[in-house]
Amino acid sequence: MYTQWRDLHRDGMRRVHQKTLPLYQRTRKFKVYASNVMPGMTQTAPYATGLLRSITTFQGTPDDVEDAVQARLKRSRVLHDAGHQFALILEEAVLYYGVCDDEALAGQLDHLLGVSSLPNVSVGVIPFRARRTVWPLEAFYAFDESLVAVETLTAEVNVTAPGEIRTYLRAFAELAKIAVHGAEARSRIAKARSALG
């Protein structure tokens, strides 16, 4: 299903976060590929505020950023529930993109380092110079093996066709192979953090 952001955000962004809370609560295995911003469930309030404010301004939608950030943080609590597993793959550039001020980005990177140590979370970073077997793609979130949400500039595409879901999961597996994990991923996050002073 293809739904334009202007329709989803017609009365602000808070409702979208509230509406997807049950999906996050029932999903057991999350696979997230982030090519442009930090995965939503890892975002701090200051980072999310900077990001959602820019989205609101660009889209010209009603400004409910403060409420939307709180709804996003509430939805993100599943990250700390051992009944959920998270495999997160980020392009290294995501660690540097200034979608918020430097102080907020520094806090976000510190938070990501903390998240990467959770027993139910795996964080991989695709290095800038990695030899690509899969080119950079649009960001997507796989919820178990039943839904893939793809984020484009103008719309969210919810993929439910089994063959297409398998293709996204295959792409995720290939992206995970070219990512660095563990200490090397944390080192790249720490390097991005130290660049901010």
Side-chain angles (χ1 to χ4, degrees):
M1 180 173 26
Y2 178 96
T3 310
Q4 292 185 328
W5 292 120
R6 71 172 181 230
D7 293 331
L8 286 169
H9 297 162
R10 180 175 45 253
D11 55 358
M13 290 185 273
R14 176 187 50 83
R15 187 175 51 86
V16 173
H17 291 88
Q18 290 174 330
K19 188 176 120 188
T20 55
L21 180 59
L23 172 64
Y24 277 64
Q25 291 172 331
R26 74 174 172 263
T27 298
R28 292 294 161 236
K29 292 186 179 182
F30 295 79
K31 292 182 179 175
V32 180
Y33 168 67
S35 57
N36 48 14
V37 297
M38 296 286 175
M41 72 273 298
T42 69
Q43 292 175 11
T44 62
Y47 183 94
T49 299
L51 175 62
L52 297 184
R53 178 129 347 265
S54 65
I55 292 170
T56 295
T57 301
F58 183 81
Q59 292 179 346
T61 51
D63 184 345
D64 68 343
V65 169
E66 289 181 23
D67 291 338
V69 167
Q70 290 311 307
R72 176 169 284 199
L73 294 177
K74 182 177 180 182
R75 189 182 69 180
S76 299
R77 290 181 190 152
V78 296
L79 196 63
H80 299 280
D81 182 340
H84 303 276
Q85 294 180 346
F86 298 84
L88 312 173
I89 302 296
L90 289 75
E91 295 286 346
E92 188 169 7
V94 170
L95 306 175
Y96 293 88
Y97 287 146
V99 299
C100 55
D101 63 38
D102 283 357
E103 182 180 352
L105 183 55
Q108 175 64 54
L109 292 168
D110 289 339
H111 180 68
L112 184 61
L113 283 168
V115 165
S116 72
S117 68
L118 293 173
N120 61 324
V121 177
S122 167
V123 175
V125 176
I126 299 175
F128 285 125
R129 300 287 303 144
R131 172 66 178 94
R132 308 299 298 228
T133 54
V134 176
W135 56 97
L137 303 171
E138 61 283 350
F140 64 85
Y141 290 66
F143 299 91
D144 292 322
E145 295 185 4
S146 58
L147 171 70
V148 175
V150 183
E151 298 178 345
T152 74
L153 175 64
T154 57
E156 178 179 77
V157 180
N158 288 308
V159 177
T160 56
E164 290 187 46
I165 290 173
R166 282 192 298 273
T167 300
Y168 274 99
L169 294 177
R170 189 173 126 231
F172 184 88
E174 291 299 315
L175 291 162
K177 286 180 193 174
I178 59 177
V180 295
H181 300 268
E184 178 62 22
R186 286 189 293 277
S187 172
R188 289 178 184 270
I189 297 166
K191 181 180 176 185
R193 171 63 178 88
S194 67
L196 295 168

